[in-house]
Amino acid sequence: MKVGFIGGGNMASAMIGGMIQKGVVSADDILVSVRTEKSVERLTNQFGVQATTENEAVVAGSDLVFLAVKPNQIKNIINLVKNFISPEKIIVSILPGKSLQWLGTEIGKPTKLIRTMPNTPALVGEGMTGVCANDLVTEEELQLVLTLLKSFGRAEVVPEYLMDTVTGVSGSSPAYVFLFLEALADAAVAEGMPRKQAYEFAAQSVLGSAKMLLETGIHPGELKDMVCSPGGTTIEAVAVLERENLRSAVIDATRACIRKSKGVD
């Protein structure tokens, strides 16, 4: 199977690296189109894949194609390549806010379409990807794409109406977590800890906490209670966070992100 990528930026590079590292696709079977010869050289040297500046060549030569470009570029790209999209090819979008119906309308003919929303932790093999497909995609084809996506993290099928929610809760949320980590480290620096060490302590704490939730299945409120000793230091900090409406701020921010993804003011 030949796997194509239109676009070779950070997300596409993370996906390509994961697929090759996990052995789900060989470098020889990956084709990538990028805008410049400099990017062609980078991808060829980094991954050993076939790279080109011709989008049409990637679509024509691939069985499955990932659309990994900015949303404002996709209309022009589809116009360039749609004549090379045949009924047996699978087109996988990682574009936020672009529905299966929108993609189908732009392509203008029956096409196997899968919509995904990955996130930047894919760069370190810990991504989270939401997935939905149109009716032309078979269960076997969907499972194939899930195998590819799981090579750089976790992937779950969701109904399409939840894809904008996926954008808010995982697609964009690394930014919220980084903001929290920066603030946590700033507090440690204010108390005298070197910044590099502060980032290490803060980041490992968040990583470990997330792993506890995923591996134990214990409710996050219960996990929080396990840290909060009566009259202790942690409950004192939690009380401040509650007073400053941390939870309400996170809920409001996430829902604002979801509304933006839906195109709702």
PDB file of all heavy atoms in Angstrom, residues 28 63 103 105 206 228 235 247 259:
ATOM      1  N   ASP A  28       9.778   3.446   1.909  1.00  0.00           N
ATOM      2  CA  ASP A  28       9.705   3.349   0.447  1.00  0.00           C
ATOM      3  C   ASP A  28       8.281   3.480  -0.079  1.00  0.00           C
ATOM      4  O   ASP A  28       8.071   3.792  -1.251  1.00  0.00           O
ATOM      5  CB  ASP A  28      10.276   2.001  -0.024  1.00  0.00           C
ATOM      6  CG  ASP A  28      11.776   1.901   0.175  1.00  0.00           C
ATOM      7  OD1 ASP A  28      12.415   2.966   0.318  1.00  0.00           O
ATOM      8  OD2 ASP A  28      12.286   0.773   0.200  1.00  0.00           O
ATOM      9  N   ASP A  63      -2.431   4.967  -2.643  1.00  0.00           N
ATOM     10  CA  ASP A  63      -3.716   4.309  -2.385  1.00  0.00           C
ATOM     11  C   ASP A  63      -4.511   5.053  -1.325  1.00  0.00           C
ATOM     12  O   ASP A  63      -5.741   5.012  -1.309  1.00  0.00           O
ATOM     13  CB  ASP A  63      -3.479   2.873  -1.909  1.00  0.00           C
ATOM     14  CG  ASP A  63      -2.661   2.072  -2.907  1.00  0.00           C
ATOM     15  OD1 ASP A  63      -3.105   1.948  -4.056  1.00  0.00           O
ATOM     16  OD2 ASP A  63      -1.573   1.593  -2.531  1.00  0.00           O
ATOM     17  N   LEU A 103     -15.893  18.302   2.193  1.00  0.00           N
ATOM     18  CA  LEU A 103     -14.838  17.681   1.393  1.00  0.00           C
ATOM     19  C   LEU A 103     -15.427  16.992   0.167  1.00  0.00           C
ATOM     20  O   LEU A 103     -14.910  17.123  -0.947  1.00  0.00           O
ATOM     21  CB  LEU A 103     -14.061  16.669   2.240  1.00  0.00           C
ATOM     22  CG  LEU A 103     -13.160  17.250   3.327  1.00  0.00           C
ATOM     23  CD1 LEU A 103     -12.738  16.150   4.305  1.00  0.00           C
ATOM     24  CD2 LEU A 103     -11.934  17.911   2.716  1.00  0.00           C
ATOM     25  N   THR A 105     -18.231  17.639  -1.367  1.00  0.00           N
ATOM     26  CA  THR A 105     -18.724  18.642  -2.312  1.00  0.00           C
ATOM     27  C   THR A 105     -17.583  19.241  -3.112  1.00  0.00           C
ATOM     28  O   THR A 105     -17.689  19.438  -4.335  1.00  0.00           O
ATOM     29  CB  THR A 105     -19.481  19.747  -1.564  1.00  0.00           C
ATOM     30  OG1 THR A 105     -20.601  19.181  -0.879  1.00  0.00           O
ATOM     31  CG2 THR A 105     -19.973  20.825  -2.521  1.00  0.00           C
ATOM     32  N   VAL A 206       2.675  16.377  35.460  1.00  0.00           N
ATOM     33  CA  VAL A 206       1.503  16.332  34.585  1.00  0.00           C
ATOM     34  C   VAL A 206       1.476  15.024  33.797  1.00  0.00           C
ATOM     35  O   VAL A 206       0.416  14.393  33.659  1.00  0.00           O
ATOM     36  CB  VAL A 206       1.491  17.548  33.642  1.00  0.00           C
ATOM     37  CG1 VAL A 206       0.418  17.394  32.572  1.00  0.00           C
ATOM     38  CG2 VAL A 206       1.253  18.831  34.436  1.00  0.00           C
ATOM     39  N   CYS A 228      -4.966  15.077  48.490  1.00  0.00           N
ATOM     40  CA  CYS A 228      -5.347  16.136  49.439  1.00  0.00           C
ATOM     41  C   CYS A 228      -5.501  15.589  50.858  1.00  0.00           C
ATOM     42  O   CYS A 228      -6.587  15.128  51.245  1.00  0.00           O
ATOM     43  CB  CYS A 228      -6.649  16.797  48.993  1.00  0.00           C
ATOM     44  SG  CYS A 228      -6.515  17.693  47.437  1.00  0.00           S
ATOM     45  N   ILE A 235      -4.600  20.679  49.727  1.00  0.00           N
ATOM     46  CA  ILE A 235      -5.962  21.192  49.792  1.00  0.00           C
ATOM     47  C   ILE A 235      -5.961  22.703  49.901  1.00  0.00           C
ATOM     48  O   ILE A 235      -6.886  23.377  49.430  1.00  0.00           O
ATOM     49  CB  ILE A 235      -6.745  20.540  50.967  1.00  0.00           C
ATOM     50  CG1 ILE A 235      -8.252  20.834  50.847  1.00  0.00           C
ATOM     51  CG2 ILE A 235      -6.198  21.000  52.311  1.00  0.00           C
ATOM     52  CD1 ILE A 235      -8.892  20.244  49.607  1.00  0.00           C
ATOM     53  N   ARG A 247     -11.674  25.697  37.217  1.00  0.00           N
ATOM     54  CA  ARG A 247     -12.497  24.776  36.445  1.00  0.00           C
ATOM     55  C   ARG A 247     -13.440  25.513  35.499  1.00  0.00           C
ATOM     56  O   ARG A 247     -13.609  25.116  34.339  1.00  0.00           O
ATOM     57  CB  ARG A 247     -13.262  23.836  37.379  1.00  0.00           C
ATOM     58  CG  ARG A 247     -12.360  22.769  37.981  1.00  0.00           C
ATOM     59  CD  ARG A 247     -13.144  21.625  38.554  1.00  0.00           C
ATOM     60  NE  ARG A 247     -13.684  21.948  39.869  1.00  0.00           N
ATOM     61  CZ  ARG A 247     -14.265  21.052  40.661  1.00  0.00           C
ATOM     62  NH1 ARG A 247     -14.402  19.805  40.260  1.00  0.00           N
ATOM     63  NH2 ARG A 247     -14.712  21.387  41.852  1.00  0.00           N
ATOM     64  N   ARG A 259     -16.839  26.268  19.817  1.00  0.00           N
ATOM     65  CA  ARG A 259     -17.704  27.170  19.040  1.00  0.00           C
ATOM     66  C   ARG A 259     -16.968  27.729  17.833  1.00  0.00           C
ATOM     67  O   ARG A 259     -17.525  27.835  16.744  1.00  0.00           O
ATOM     68  CB  ARG A 259     -18.224  28.313  19.929  1.00  0.00           C
ATOM     69  CG  ARG A 259     -19.265  27.898  20.949  1.00  0.00           C
ATOM     70  CD  ARG A 259     -20.003  29.089  21.532  1.00  0.00           C
ATOM     71  NE  ARG A 259     -19.094  30.025  22.192  1.00  0.00           N
ATOM     72  CZ  ARG A 259     -18.738  29.921  23.473  1.00  0.00           C
ATOM     73  NH1 ARG A 259     -19.215  28.926  24.228  1.00  0.00           N
ATOM     74  NH2 ARG A 259     -17.920  30.797  24.022  1.00  0.00           N
TER      75      ARG A 259
END
